[in-house]
Amino acid sequence: MVRIGRALAGGVRRGLGGRKFQGIRFRLGLWLAIALLPLLILGGYQAQSAFRAQDAGRRSDLQRAAERTAANARARLDSTGILLIALRPEALEVFCGPRLSDLVNRLEDLDGLVRLSATGATACASVDLDSAAPVWLAQARSSVWFQRLRAGEGTVLARAPATVGHPPGLIVATRLERPMGRFDGAMVALVPLSSLQPDMDDPSLPEGSQAALTDAGGRLLTATDIDTFTLTRGQSLAGWVERARTGGSGIFEAHDADGRHRVYAGAALAGRDVYALLSAPAPGLLSWARLNPVGALFMPLLAWLLAFTAVMWVSERVVIRWLNYLERVAAIYARGRFSIRPVQAMNAPSEIRVLARTLDDLAASIVARDAALTASLAEKDALMREIHHRVKNNLQIISSLLSMQQRALTDPASKAAVGDTRQRISALALIYRTLYQSDDLRYADARIFLTELVGQLVASETGRGQVITSSISADSLVVDPDKLAPLALWLVEAVTNAQKHAFAGRGGHLDVRFTVHGETSVLEVQDDGPGVSETFRAGVGRTLMGAFAKQLRGSAEMVAAEGGGTIARMTFATPEAVVPTDPDDLGTAAAPGR
């Protein structure tokens, strides 16, 4: 019954618990998490869409800011061009130099004014330029911008060569013509680049924005932060204008001198000479989370967690707790208590109720089967005891018949042979008496049996007038009765030999010792007689003792005892034993691991 209950509980545990990653909780949680992943994916897609929209908005804001910057700078340059056209007649007067100087002093966005002749020579200049005699005036004839004016362009912009005493500037030159359209030189203004610097206070600009002015080749004219427009990783600003024209957009991405990924947007200031270029940090991979962390990240995650928690809680209340309850009931069944019934499961879902009823029916079947088996075993036990009792009685009858036959014999040898046979039969009868009187018919204690057998053998000689005393020292060894038969018969032969040869006509003391030494055991019968009889050495008794010892996988010997007497010793393999019934022998008989 208990084995059936343990097997039942073990099956339930394997089905309910199993390994950590094979239980219902883990599998349900895993599949639930997978089922709810679309919530997180949808949230991530929405956040990514918002990120793309914001990135596109940032690029658009940057482009519009670049166009506004270019428009503002263009307006300043246009006003400078208008001023140059208006000053053209005055530049031919005698006192044009002082007048131009006075005008430069009044205007904040001019560093100098100059009138060049058709040959590129300086016809009139403001005081600052005339006194400094800058290199670019001396090289005006051979300069590209002057040649462009000579070729027919109305207004030309170019960067002024760097000179000592003058900050970086921009040349604004307008073509002068005679009435017939012939080239008559140029009116030139030197505009400081600082006056064209883009306004970085624009609130529409992204955080961390920087601005610069470049020429048509992408070379920097001025910048708010030089490192921002110094590109790395094999990239360069050179030719960005051409790339923007080819790609149809003035926006591109690159890494600056500090390795930061940035977005660049540009627009033309005037014609094809000067361009405004703005830069802002490119959004990172996780920058979308800063757009709206609650709506883009935490809300989908919170919805996922709430749904996961709700379903897990419901599954715990509806399924898991009832399975745990049935597991506890099965554990109680494993301990042999089948009176417990899973009545609480009647409030569980229908599938759990079906499982509980099945478990209940199984327990009832086990109880009924156990009762039937117990009754059958009790009946068989009673029958076996009755059989052993009757076998013992039959052997007793045979022993009595032999005793009667022994008394009728007159031949001493025949009489002794019948007596030996009767003692052997009495030893076998004692085995059956020991069995039906023991608690368990399958086992018998060797110590109890040997004590009774020695007492019976000694008592059988008391009526003949011989005084024989005995002492018994035996370890407890609970063994199968089949092992007792050769053990008992060997002891009968040893004691009979002592009675015939050691104690004949005088009595004496008999010492019987049974000791268990782990894998081997020793049974000894010692007398205080005159010594080993040569007759016994060649007799039937010695032959029988050897045969009985072989049945126990052992050997028998006769040795002389110290101080006189003989020791009959049998050494044999210790029979398989159960736990000794006597706790005092646990340290001896049970120590070897039996």
Side-chain angles (χ1 to χ4, degrees):
M1 178 185 69
V2 175
R3 292 181 180 178
I4 296 175
R6 288 177 179 173
L8 172 64
V12 174
R13 288 193 187 97
R14 288 191 294 271
L16 298 182
R19 297 181 180 177
K20 181 178 180 181
F21 299 109
Q22 295 181 354
I24 293 179
R25 288 188 183 91
F26 174 78
R27 295 187 180 185
L28 182 62
L30 177 62
W31 287 110
L32 179 60
I34 295 175
L36 294 177
L37 273 182
L39 289 176
L40 294 180
I41 295 175
L42 179 61
Y45 176 77
Q46 291 176 344
Q48 185 67 14
S49 299
F51 165 69
R52 292 196 186 98
Q54 189 218 33
D55 185 37
R58 286 165 58 92
R59 292 172 180 263
S60 178
D61 292 342
L62 195 64
Q63 182 64 40
R64 285 195 294 268
E67 293 174 354
R68 285 194 299 271
T69 298
N72 293 334
R74 190 182 302 115
R76 295 176 186 175
L77 295 177
D78 289 344
S79 63
T80 302
I82 295 173
L83 175 64
L84 293 178
I85 295 174
L87 291 176
R88 181 167 42 187
E90 296 185 2
L92 299 176
E93 296 181 358
V94 178
F95 299 101
C96 70
R99 291 185 178 182
L100 293 179
S101 298
D102 182 62
L103 185 59
V104 170
N105 292 332
R106 292 183 181 183
L107 298 177
E108 296 180 356
D109 296 338
L110 288 178
D111 280 346
L113 293 170
V114 63
R115 166 70 161 81
L116 298 178
S117 65
T119 60
T122 303
C124 180
S126 60
V127 175
D128 293 338
L129 293 179
D130 187 43
S131 60
V135 177
W136 62 272
L137 287 177
Q139 299 176 350
R141 170 185 280 185
S142 60
S143 63
V144 177
W145 59 269
F146 189 77
Q147 297 301 324
R148 289 171 56 188
L149 290 176
R150 185 189 294 275
E153 292 189 30
T155 302
V156 175
L157 280 73
R159 181 174 182 176
T163 58
V164 179
H166 282 272
L170 186 67
I171 296 175
V172 182
T174 60
R175 175 187 173 89
L176 299 180
E177 297 179 350
R178 294 180 182 181
M180 298 299 293
R182 185 179 178 183
F183 179 65
D184 194 27
M187 195 69 192
V188 182
L190 183 61
V191 179
L193 290 177
S194 59
S195 65
L196 299 176
Q197 191 71 33
D199 183 14
M200 301 308 299
D201 295 332
D202 190 345
S204 63
L205 286 175
E207 184 180 356
S209 297
Q210 301 293 339
L213 296 179
T214 73
D215 59 13
R219 293 179 292 273
L220 285 177
L221 300 178
T222 182
T224 56
D225 184 6
I226 296 298
D227 291 339
T228 299
F229 298 93
T230 303
L231 306 186
T232 58
R233 300 189 182 183
Q235 298 173 312
S236 174
L237 284 179
W240 77 267
V241 176
E242 189 64 28
R243 292 197 301 270
R245 290 173 180 172
T246 303
S249 173
I251 300 178
F252 65 97
E253 297 183 13
H255 291 82
D256 62 11
D258 296 330
R260 295 170 297 184
H261 189 207
R262 301 182 69 90
V263 179
Y264 297 85
L269 258 67
R272 53 187 177 89
D273 297 308
V274 181
Y275 294 82
L277 186 63
L278 268 65
S279 176
L285 294 176
L286 297 179
S287 61
W288 57 269
R290 295 194 296 269
L291 299 175
N292 183 5
V294 175
L297 178 63
F298 295 115
M299 287 303 294
L301 183 59
L302 180 61
W304 185 87
L305 288 176
L306 288 177
F308 182 83
T309 303
V311 176
M312 289 299 292
W313 182 83
V314 170
S315 64
E316 180 73 25
R317 298 295 299 173
V318 174
V319 179
I320 302 299
R321 75 183 185 102
W322 293 114
L323 293 180
N324 289 336
Y325 170 71
L326 294 180
E327 182 181 7
R328 292 194 298 271
V329 172
I332 294 174
Y333 289 170
R335 294 192 293 269
R337 297 175 55 193
F338 292 96
S339 59
I340 304 299
R341 293 292 183 265
V343 293
Q344 296 183 12
M346 296 300 104
N347 299 323
S350 58
E351 293 83 356
I352 301 297
R353 290 200 300 270
V354 171
L355 181 59
R357 283 196 295 268
T358 303
L359 197 62
D360 189 11
D361 295 342
L362 181 61
S365 299
I366 292 175
V367 170
R369 184 179 301 176
D370 178 69
L373 291 175
T374 301
S376 177
L377 288 175
E379 181 180 358
K380 292 180 179 180
D381 184 81
L383 292 175
M384 288 297 296
R385 292 180 188 276
E386 180 64 23
I387 291 173
H388 290 328
H389 187 252
R390 291 187 180 184
V391 170
K392 189 268 298 183
N393 290 341
N394 291 335
L395 291 175
Q396 289 281 3
I397 293 173
I398 295 174
S399 177
S400 299
L401 292 175
L402 290 176
S403 180
M404 294 174 60
Q405 186 67 34
Q406 183 183 19
R407 287 195 296 270
L409 294 175
T410 57
D411 182 31
S414 300
K415 195 171 185 178
V418 173
D420 293 343
T421 303
R422 185 175 59 82
Q423 284 188 331
R424 296 182 186 113
I425 294 175
S426 298
L428 295 176
L430 181 61
I431 294 176
Y432 287 98
R433 191 186 74 177
T434 302
L435 287 177
Y436 77 74
Q437 289 180 348
S438 64
D439 294 333
D440 194 332
L441 293 173
R442 297 173 299 172
Y443 301 101
D445 193 339
R447 181 173 65 180
I448 298 174
F449 174 77
L450 293 177
T451 302
E452 292 186 359
L453 179 58
V454 172
Q456 177 178 298
L457 294 174
V458 173
S460 65
E461 296 296 322
T462 303
R464 299 179 182 178
Q466 300 176 0
V467 179
I468 300 175
T469 60
S470 64
S471 62
I472 301 174
S473 174
D475 291 339
S476 179
L477 183 66
V478 181
V479 297
D480 190 293
D482 291 339
K483 303 296 182 180
L484 287 179
L487 192 67
L489 294 175
W490 187 92
L491 183 61
V492 168
E493 297 299 327
V495 173
T496 302
N497 173 69
Q499 290 173 343
K500 287 181 179 180
H501 303 286
F503 305 142
R506 68 178 189 87
H509 180 74
L510 187 69
D511 187 10
V512 179
R513 296 182 295 272
F514 174 66
T515 309
V516 178
H517 301 288
E519 298 293 333
T520 61
S521 298
V522 177
L523 178 60
E524 295 178 330
V525 177
Q526 181 177 353
D527 60 60
D528 56 356
V532 180
S533 172
E534 294 298 330
T535 304
F536 176 74
R537 289 180 181 273
V540 178
R542 180 62 184 274
T543 303
L544 292 175
M545 290 176 67
F548 297 146
K550 288 182 179 180
Q551 292 183 24
L552 295 174
R553 293 184 300 164
S555 61
E557 60 181 343
M558 301 290 292
V559 296
E562 294 182 2
T566 304
I567 298 177
R569 178 183 297 128
M570 180 176 64
T571 304
F572 58 97
T574 302
E576 185 177 357
V578 296
V579 178
T581 57
D582 191 346
D584 295 336
D585 293 322
L586 289 177
T588 57
R594 291 285 171 180

